[in-house]
Amino acid sequence: MGDRPVSFQILSDQRQNFVSGCVNFEDPNFNVSLPVFTIHGNHDDPAGAENLSAVDILSTSKLVNYFGKARVPITGSNVGSVRLSPVLLQKGATKVALYGLGNLRDERLCRLFHTPGAVQWVRPADTPAHPQRDWFNIFALHQNRVAHTQGAKNVVREGHLPRFLDLVVWGHEHECLADPWDSAEAEGAFSVVQPGSSVATSLSEGEARAKHAVVLEVARQSWRTFKVPLQTVRPFRFASVALASILPLDSAGARCEDPELVGDVLVELVTRLADEAMQERRGWRETRKGGSATRRETDAPSDVLSDPPSPSDLPL
Amino acid sequence: MGDRPVSFQILSDQRQNFVSGCVNFEDPNFNVSLPVFTIHGNHDDPAGAENLSAVDILSTSKLVNYFGKARVPITGSNVGSVRLSPVLLQKGATKVALYGLGNLRDERLCRLFHTPGAVQWVRPADTPAHPQRDWFNIFALHQNRVAHTQGAKNVVREGHLPRFLDLVVWGHEHECLADPWDSAEAEGAFSVVQPGSSVATSLSEGEARAKHAVVLEVARQSWRTFKVPLQTVRPFRFASVALASILPLDSAGARCEDPELVGDVLVELVTRLADEAMQERRGWRETRKGGSATRRETDAPSDVLSDPPSPSDLPL
């Protein structure tokens, strides 16, 4: 909420895009300065008789613009179908088609992607005013990306996604992979970025990596991201220990398995990890006090893009 | 939400009055045309670590103005204390002091009222611009009123409330007593009105009565209420049956207790009640189509009050 003007406009049919039927910053009764667009995840998926979730409350309160809530009609023995209709955003000569798909049960979505015609991608009409090639196509989804077994049926594969996309923003996976990569499965047709969870929620190696928010800038067909390190994530270190390789040998040349010694070795290791984590945290604190933050760019700036904003300019 | 101007103002300290710290229609980022002021009930009482409830969400979303959320600090063996600080409203020469108390556990509130000094009623200062006698004092609470046993410790008695009040709006009790009465317990010092629940929720006689919304008009010290019958309440009839008085006598002069006959009598009774209920409902529907509704005034209009609004003008 606030007086900062919103300098882009929505070209698509808002009743089709948004659960509330209207983008919040165009509602004359609300003064929105930073519009937020969101899909739902698996912890806030529509449920119950009215198919509602917490995101509906935020949307009804005009705090967010909720898009990508798919109704999957099922008739007879069909798997149903999903129709993905983009939010079309324009600012000057830059046009963004924002596709979204809130979380669906993984197995079900997997089956949909395997059924010809079950996932329909609506594309903006190719007109002289808005040639189709002018659109920068983003797809936001909240779904399993990493298969934990061969032939798993509960992941969406990058190769399932249409090649006209430019960037896929992958939610749900907790590991922060903030540097976009060219999708190998899609033969480089689009890039994928996975900002990851904002907090460490499980005791896994992926969660121990540095967490970032990812800011995306688009100018016409040029784009770049930069990472903003999150500085208030709770400290978390992860290490695998093979006792066989770290315990000292006893006089007979065998590994010493004295429980007390094993305890000492592990306590020392944990203390070292904790010290490292606290030291890193202290480092963040000092950096913040000094008013500077690390920033890395993942794409070379194109000449149509201005200088990247300093972190203090970012709307975070 | 809308453009209708709000023609009264708040004179009291909003940070003290409202959970959100600010009345919603003065927030420059929200365009509120019909401000709603609410206390919480027993199904939406503050709970959990943050002492929050659904009303907090509505309040944070600026959909309602949440007042009367008491923090009851407890130290040592004290019962704690409640400080009731009114919302002061002014429109022209009319000044309303609106006191509110969201639901507290009945036994606890009862104990508070029995402890001298535990319930503090803050009154507006007596100044030449705002003499204390100019205020019309309303108290809204959501609590048991009817004692079901002699000496019950879980009700708030009208006699507990201070005599400077003018009108007490009693929530929580389901029965609709829409015509205000002079409190006998308070020796007529104030009136009490109990609008009741908006739907029939339990199978009791009180719920079978007609449901109303109550509209209160205040002009200086004159006031009146009128009742707006609710027309979409589900039909509900309640009857007590004493078989001894309705069963026919048999040839020996005793009541006939033939199970089949008892069944017939009861089926006939229920059918008649259901018919009555449906007929009344049909009546409502026709009245609504015709665009008129019953309206009764409970106080004779004072000369400072204008004509009562027609139901179609009411902001319902």
Side-chain angles (χ1 to χ4, degrees):
Chain A
M1 294 291 167
D3 286 328
R4 201 165 64 165
V6 174
S7 52
F8 61 87
Q9 59 185 127
I10 310 272
L11 302 183
S12 48
D13 180 359
Q14 299 185 12
R15 280 164 306 176
Q16 207 166 85
N17 292 146
F18 302 113
V19 171
S20 70
C22 173
V23 75
N24 60 358
F25 64 85
E26 286 186 9
D27 189 311
N29 296 323
F30 294 85
N31 190 30
V32 175
S33 74
L34 179 67
V36 172
F37 295 80
T38 188
I39 58 173
H40 65 258
N42 58 317
H43 292 293
D44 46 7
D45 62 326
E50 304 277 340
N51 219 21
L52 296 180
S53 74
V55 193
D56 283 275
I57 295 177
L58 295 170
S59 159
T60 303
S61 306
K62 306 285 178 179
L63 297 176
V64 303
N65 297 298
Y66 180 14
F67 71 113
K69 182 178 180 179
R71 269 168 301 176
V72 187
I74 301 175
T75 49
S77 60
N78 286 352
V79 291
S81 64
V82 166
R83 191 179 152 87
L84 295 166
S85 195
V87 182
L88 301 180
L89 308 165
Q90 179 170 27
K91 179 183 175 183
T94 300
K95 297 170 193 170
V96 171
L98 177 60
Y99 293 82
L101 181 59
N103 177 265
L104 290 177
R105 201 161 54 78
D106 289 298
E107 291 77 6
R108 180 147 188 219
L109 186 56
C110 187
R111 211 157 64 235
L112 281 168
F113 273 120
H114 279 103
T115 309
V119 182
Q120 294 152 28
W121 297 81
V122 181
R123 298 202 59 189
D126 196 5
T127 64
H130 299 287
Q132 206 168 55
R133 66 168 188 284
D134 279 5
W135 292 98
F136 184 78
N137 298 291
I138 303 176
F139 180 43
L141 81 167
H142 185 108
Q143 219 73 33
N144 282 346
R145 192 182 60 80
V146 181
H148 293 284
T149 57
Q150 198 70 18
K153 286 205 165 24
N154 61 352
V155 296
V156 173
R157 295 188 184 280
E158 293 170 18
H160 285 151
L161 304 179
R163 306 296 156 101
F164 74 81
L165 292 175
D166 295 291
L167 177 67
V168 174
V169 180
W170 213 293
H172 190 54
E173 298 281 353
H174 283 205
E175 187 171 354
C176 177
L177 303 174
D179 297 313
W181 65 91
D182 289 344
S183 171
E185 273 191 49
E187 290 146 354
F190 53 78
S191 301
V192 183
V193 67
Q194 178 182 303
S197 62
S198 56
V199 287
T201 53
S202 60
L203 297 176
S204 68
E205 197 168 356
E207 296 272 34
R209 304 238 176 93
K211 301 278 183 190
H212 297 86
V214 177
V215 177
L216 167 69
E217 283 190 334
V218 182
R220 300 192 186 184
Q221 291 292 312
S222 303
W223 63 285
R224 64 182 174 188
T225 61
F226 43 98
K227 311 192 280 193
V228 182
L230 298 180
Q231 301 181 11
T232 54
V233 179
R234 55 185 165 189
F236 180 45
R237 277 285 182 289
F238 187 95
S240 296
V241 182
L243 286 177
S245 62
I246 59 166
L247 290 180
L249 301 178
D250 62 14
S251 52
R255 290 285 164 193
C256 175
E257 293 188 11
D258 173 30
E260 207 164 305
L261 182 66
V262 170
D264 288 349
V265 166
L266 291 181
V267 164
E268 195 194 313
L269 181 75
V270 169
T271 308
R272 185 165 55 75
L273 289 173
D275 283 350
E276 276 178 26
M278 290 316 292
Q279 209 159 355
E280 186 183 276
R281 192 171 177 75
R282 219 169 294 126
W284 280 128
R285 285 223 188 100
E286 275 151 25
T287 313
R288 264 198 296 167
K289 267 189 219 147
S292 85
T294 312
R295 191 179 70 236
R296 273 163 291 181
E297 286 162 37
T298 56
D299 263 23
S302 134
D303 47 335
V304 282
L305 289 170
S306 59
D307 283 340
S310 80
S312 59
D313 295 336
L314 294 177
L316 291 174
Chain B
M1 294 290 170
D3 286 328
R4 199 166 63 164
V6 174
S7 53
F8 61 87
Q9 59 184 126
I10 309 272
L11 302 183
S12 48
D13 180 0
Q14 299 186 12
R15 281 164 306 176
Q16 208 166 84
N17 292 146
F18 302 114
V19 171
S20 70
C22 173
V23 74
N24 61 358
F25 64 86
E26 287 186 8
D27 189 312
N29 296 322
F30 293 84
N31 191 29
V32 174
S33 74
L34 179 65
V36 173
F37 296 81
T38 188
I39 58 172
H40 65 259
N42 59 318
H43 292 293
D44 46 8
D45 62 324
E50 304 276 341
N51 218 19
L52 296 179
S53 76
V55 193
D56 283 277
I57 295 177
L58 295 170
S59 158
T60 304
S61 307
K62 306 283 177 181
L63 297 176
V64 302
N65 298 298
Y66 179 13
F67 72 113
K69 181 177 181 179
R71 269 166 302 175
V72 187
I74 301 176
T75 49
S77 59
N78 286 350
V79 291
S81 63
V82 166
R83 192 179 149 86
L84 295 167
S85 195
V87 181
L88 300 180
L89 308 164
Q90 180 171 25
K91 180 183 176 185
T94 300
K95 297 170 191 170
V96 171
L98 177 60
Y99 294 83
L101 181 59
N103 176 265
L104 289 177
R105 200 161 55 77
D106 289 297
E107 291 77 7
R108 180 149 187 216
L109 186 56
C110 186
R111 211 157 62 236
L112 281 168
F113 272 119
H114 279 103
T115 308
V119 181
Q120 294 152 28
W121 296 82
V122 180
R123 298 201 60 188
D126 194 6
T127 64
H130 300 287
Q132 206 168 53
R133 66 170 188 284
D134 278 7
W135 293 98
F136 183 77
N137 298 290
I138 303 176
F139 179 43
L141 81 169
H142 186 109
Q143 218 73 34
N144 282 347
R145 191 182 61 81
V146 181
H148 293 286
T149 57
Q150 197 69 18
K153 285 205 165 24
N154 61 351
V155 294
V156 173
R157 296 188 184 279
E158 293 169 17
H160 284 152
L161 304 179
R163 308 294 157 100
F164 74 80
L165 293 175
D166 295 292
L167 178 66
V168 174
V169 180
W170 212 293
H172 188 54
E173 297 282 352
H174 283 206
E175 186 171 354
C176 177
L177 303 174
D179 296 313
W181 65 89
D182 289 343
S183 171
E185 274 192 50
E187 290 146 356
F190 53 77
S191 301
V192 183
V193 66
Q194 178 182 304
S197 63
S198 55
V199 289
T201 53
S202 60
L203 296 176
S204 68
E205 197 169 355
E207 296 273 33
R209 306 240 174 92
K211 302 278 184 188
H212 297 86
V214 177
V215 178
L216 168 69
E217 283 189 334
V218 182
R220 300 193 187 181
Q221 290 293 313
S222 302
W223 63 284
R224 64 183 174 189
T225 60
F226 44 98
K227 312 192 281 192
V228 182
L230 299 179
Q231 301 182 10
T232 55
V233 179
R234 54 185 166 188
F236 180 46
R237 276 286 181 288
F238 188 94
S240 295
V241 182
L243 287 177
S245 62
I246 59 169
L247 290 180
L249 300 179
D250 62 13
S251 54
R255 291 285 164 194
C256 175
E257 294 188 9
D258 173 32
E260 208 164 302
L261 181 66
V262 171
D264 287 350
V265 168
L266 291 179
V267 164
E268 195 196 313
L269 183 75
V270 169
T271 310
R272 185 165 53 77
L273 289 173
D275 282 350
E276 275 177 26
M278 290 317 291
Q279 210 160 354
E280 186 184 277
R281 191 172 178 76
R282 221 170 292 127
W284 281 129
R285 285 222 188 100
E286 275 150 27
T287 311
R288 262 197 298 169
K289 267 189 219 149
S292 85
T294 311
R295 190 179 70 236
R296 272 164 291 181
E297 286 163 37
T298 56
D299 264 24
S302 137
D303 47 334
V304 284
L305 289 170
S306 59
D307 282 340
S310 80
S312 58
D313 296 335
L314 293 178
L316 290 172

